[in-house]
Amino acid sequence: MFGVIVDCAMYRDGRRAEGPEDFSDALDEARASGDAFLWIGTYEPTEAEFDHVRREFGLHPLAVEDALNAHQRPKLEVYDDSLFVVLKPVLYDEATDTVSAGELMLFIGDSFVVTVRHGEGAPLTAVRHRLEQEPDVLRHGPTAVLYAVSDAVVDHYIEVAAELQSDLEELEAEVFAPNASDTKNTAARIYGFKRQVLEFRRATNPLLAPMDRLAFGQVPFVHEHARPFFRDVADHLTKASEYIEGLDRLLSDALAAHLAQTGLRQNDDVRKISAWAAIAAVPTMVAGIYGMNFDHIPELHQWWGYPAVLALMAGVCLGLHRMFKRRGWL
């Protein structure tokens, strides 16, 4: 089990304190003191590795099952002995312009916080270091950890949304470029972008209800004086969600504009082909008539007939070319 524990520390009166090495003894000491709590961070534990933690902290088996199995929706669940919160941090890869989502589970209980992390998008180390520099905040116990982690995850949503907005502006410039020609690649990029936004929405939208509950409702193991802080997180989450909805609408508009431009270019190609076919039809028709085996065809025995017919074909073709050119078909 100890191989998956990233960090284990006791905090007393807002500061990291020395405690027993065994976290079972440390939890008993934290509960006995009344002003301390234990924070254990784990990374992708297996069922066997996490079983000791489950038994020592009295975690509900259904919550433990969700924590061990990734691909959970953001949610807030209340059990008899703990509060279970699921967050989905997102990570933006600048090299590939893609968004990936990790998973972060928090068990909040009497004098303890247990975090379970899946993926690379969870900012727990930075949050822990920041909280240790702010003892006035950390003094509020497990509630402070839940607030700080939620705030860091949601603030990162806004940063990733800004990166996606920059990518979208580049994509829009490509869609509306006058000489845009690679329509297949552009459509593929738009669809790929929409999948990134969809992945982002799966992380943000389900979290709105849990954050409203923390901000405005009665939630066990969460101090009532923390509601204003969670309201701030909820406001930022709403901003991020609206940002993402706006990106999705702009992508839909860009895709519609791209498809419309593709249709216009196809119509223009069809007009050009039709115009050249009409021009070619005139000499084809005349040549077809002269190709018939008639002995007394008009002007057949006149010396000026052949050049006159050639001049007629050239004149009609030039006239059609000029007319189509004027109408923008060529």
Side-chain angles (χ1 to χ4, degrees), residues 57 71 91 145 170 288 296 317:
F57 290 87
H71 311 296
L91 184 65
V145 176
E170 296 178 2
H296 298 291
C317 290

Side-chain angles (χ1 to χ4, degrees), residues 215-232:
F216 302 102
Q218 294 283 350
V219 180
F221 307 106
V222 175
H223 201 283
E224 61 180 6
H225 295 303
R227 291 180 190 171
F229 298 96
F230 285 108
R231 282 200 294 268
D232 182 67

